[in-house]
Amino acid sequence: MELNDFLRKFEYAIEDVEPNSVDADLDFQNNLEQWDSLAAMTLLAMIDNEYDVVLTGEELISCKTVNELFELIKSKSNK
Amino acid sequence: MGISIKAISYYLPENVLTNDDLSKQFPEWTIERITNKLGISKRHICSENETVSDMSVNASLKLFEEYNVSKNEIDYIILCTQSPDYYLPTTACVVQHRLGLKQNIGAIDFNLGCSGYIYGLGLSKALIQSNQANNVLLITSEAYSKHIKFDDKSNRSIFGDAATASLISNGDGKIEDFDYGTDGGGSNNLIVKNGGLKFKKNNTEDDYLFMNGAKIFSFTLEKVPLVVKNILDKSKLSIEDIDLFIFHQANKFMLENLRKKLKISENKFYYFIENVGNTVSSTIPLALNDAYKNNRIKKNDKVMLVGFGVGYSWGGCIIYY
């Protein structure tokens, strides 16, 4: 899996996020305006659909940046 | 002959909360997002003086009237709620009296949420099979609105109040292949923390319903496919053999993800959420009743029911018509 591709999927999963506006260092839980429980749900669904990885809520919340989330998924994914 | 659901009736409070109402109160809340993601346009909400016992009585009276059920036939009441009128007495006892049912019958409450209907079916079946009862009145009655803070836009968008009454007796169908699950480790993720005997109400957020949506969602993605697999293993059936799937109607987005993950075709997957919202233990009987009325269930059909949520608690079974 590739970081840029993940960033675009991340943007698409959370609605109303401008394409190409999210970078790897974004502290998405604190600095993303659209972040809420519905966004968390759609993000978990995207990760499950695209990477066949079911993250727990704790795992998702433990990630500070988008890059940390990307690395976590990568470590759990076979793709 | 087996043990089956003979009839289902329901009651929805008159008060309606629409997406328009919500967007007036929460101008920052994108209404399309609620409609698209949650699949909910309106919910029925109890009035201030309307309680779970009132809804239970109304749903039961409707059952007696619509299906010509004699009050004297009922020999056990099982009532599922997490919003009882009192700590004590038992809501089912209050309901027995208000309905004018016989006195030589059993009546119990049990406290479960979104998995409640499955557990209620399991208990009803066990009572009938062991000759302790013949006609069980299984009631689900929930008023989460009483637990939700007025300015909690997420939960007010999701939950609606409702009650259902089912008559469980010997009949043509069967209820089989039960599978249950429990993980109290998730209890803090969907909770009304204060107001029980451990923590008094103290005018903080903890006095109200709290739901960690992301954690509940990932719990669902993990456990629901397992329940489905266990039930199929027990029944020696495959996904294709099931004629209709009725899952707890949590929200449309969650259901759609589960459907795709399990590779269930759209025409075998029932939705009943748009005009009622997530009614907790009543979602499955409401959907089942609607599917039946719309001729989506025929003789000899196999319908899989799966409930999951607060506790965590989950479970499922197959109804053979």
Side-chain angles (χ1 to χ4, degrees):
Chain A
M1 68 187 267
E2 201 246 319
L3 179 62
N4 268 327
D5 180 53
F6 177 70
L7 292 176
R8 301 297 84 82
K9 283 175 176 153
F10 182 102
E11 287 160 352
Y12 187 75
I14 298 168
E15 278 174 40
D16 304 327
V17 176
E18 285 290 314
N20 300 312
S21 68
V22 169
D23 65 49
D25 297 329
L26 177 70
D27 174 0
F28 61 96
Q29 293 178 64
N30 292 311
N31 297 330
L32 182 66
E33 192 195 336
Q34 294 86 350
W35 184 255
D36 62 8
S37 61
L38 205 56
M41 185 174 81
T42 57
L43 191 59
L44 287 169
M46 181 278 282
I47 295 164
D48 180 31
N49 291 334
E50 297 289 334
Y51 303 103
D52 209 16
V53 171
V54 175
L55 293 185
T56 65
E58 280 93 350
E59 285 171 325
L60 177 65
I61 289 158
S62 75
C63 296
K64 195 164 160 54
T65 63
V66 179
N67 193 53
E68 279 178 35
L69 179 62
F70 172 74
E71 291 297 333
L72 176 67
I73 299 164
K74 211 160 79 172
S75 73
K76 298 190 137 209
S77 167
N78 308 315
K79 282 182 186 174
Chain B
M1 281 284 275
I3 291 156
S4 58
I5 304 171
K6 284 285 190 56
I8 302 173
S9 290
Y10 64 90
Y11 170 79
L12 298 169
E14 269 179 43
N15 267 352
V16 169
L17 177 68
T18 64
N19 287 357
D20 267 354
D21 299 333
L22 287 168
S23 67
K24 273 177 203 139
Q25 189 190 341
F26 307 106
E28 75 283 10
W29 198 224
T30 326
I31 213 69
E32 292 76 26
R33 197 154 169 250
I34 309 180
T35 319
N36 294 342
K37 282 279 181 312
L38 301 180
I40 301 169
S41 318
K42 61 177 182 151
R43 321 105 192 102
H44 293 257
I45 302 293
C46 280
S47 61
E48 203 179 332
N49 299 320
E50 193 170 29
T51 68
V52 152
S53 71
D54 296 330
M55 291 200 294
S56 303
V57 166
N58 285 328
S60 303
L61 288 175
K62 222 171 126 192
L63 177 84
F64 299 159
E65 194 184 306
E66 284 178 336
Y67 297 95
N68 208 13
V69 176
S70 156
K71 287 180 183 182
N72 291 326
E73 288 172 39
I74 305 298
D75 53 9
Y76 217 108
I77 305 174
I78 301 180
L79 191 153
C80 175
T81 190
Q82 302 191 302
S83 323
D85 288 19
Y86 315 105
Y87 279 125
L88 58 140
T90 313
T91 313
C93 295
V94 174
V95 169
Q96 173 273 336
H97 179 69
R98 287 183 57 189
L99 287 172
L101 301 189
K102 293 187 299 190
Q103 291 191 355
N104 57 336
I105 70 172
I108 55 164
D109 287 359
F110 71 102
N111 177 322
L112 277 178
C114 308
S115 60
Y117 195 66
I118 308 298
Y119 284 77
L121 289 177
L123 293 168
S124 303
K125 179 179 172 176
L127 286 169
I128 296 168
Q129 211 162 31
S130 57
N131 294 316
Q132 297 184 67
N134 290 310
N135 295 297
V136 177
L137 175 62
L138 170 60
I139 298 171
T140 61
S141 186
E142 202 53 83
Y144 268 23
S145 66
K146 312 256 183 209
H147 298 305
I148 298 173
K149 201 175 180 191
F150 187 68
D151 62 9
D152 178 350
K153 62 176 189 256
S154 303
N155 287 319
R156 287 191 68 217
S157 302
I158 292 171
F159 292 107
D161 300 335
T164 71
S166 305
L167 178 64
I168 318 295
S169 323
N170 276 300
D172 290 338
K174 285 189 299 182
I175 313 169
E176 302 274 339
D177 312 313
F178 282 93
D179 190 64
Y180 299 113
T182 303
D183 177 10
S187 56
N188 282 327
N189 297 327
L190 183 38
I191 189 169
V192 181
K193 194 171 169 189
N194 292 351
L197 294 172
K198 192 174 171 72
F199 300 108
K200 288 199 170 86
K201 292 222 183 246
N202 61 5
N203 289 316
T204 63
E205 299 283 320
D206 287 344
D207 292 357
Y208 301 97
L209 183 128
F210 166 79
M211 177 163 73
N212 185 324
K215 288 191 183 174
I216 297 290
F217 184 60
S218 69
F219 145 74
T220 305
L221 283 180
E222 186 193 342
K223 295 300 182 195
V224 172
L226 275 179
V227 190
V228 172
K229 183 184 179 299
N230 290 345
I231 296 170
L232 291 175
D233 287 349
K234 281 181 192 174
S235 61
K236 300 189 169 56
L237 296 170
S238 69
I239 288 268
E240 292 72 36
D241 296 324
I242 303 294
D243 299 290
L244 193 65
F245 290 84
I246 297 182
F247 285 11
H248 162 57
Q249 306 282 303
N251 68 62
K252 186 144 192 206
F253 181 82
M254 189 186 273
L255 286 170
E256 199 50 23
N257 269 279
L258 289 169
R259 184 186 70 75
K260 285 181 190 155
K261 199 173 165 69
L262 287 159
K263 301 187 169 58
I264 299 169
S265 65
E266 273 179 273
N267 62 345
K268 286 188 172 183
F269 199 80
Y270 208 73
Y271 288 102
F272 187 75
I273 188 164
E274 192 186 348
N275 294 315
V276 291
N278 175 342
T279 56
V280 194
S281 50
S282 293
T283 66
I284 294 174
L286 281 174
L288 192 56
N289 179 59
D290 193 69
Y292 195 78
K293 291 220 159 124
N294 287 313
N295 299 316
R296 289 287 300 274
I297 300 171
K298 309 177 298 292
K299 182 95 187 123
N300 297 320
D301 271 3
K302 295 179 272 296
V303 179
M304 187 188 287
L305 309 182
V306 181
F308 45 87
V310 58
Y312 303 142
S313 166
W314 63 95
C317 61
I318 297 177
I319 306 183
Y320 296 78
Y321 278 86

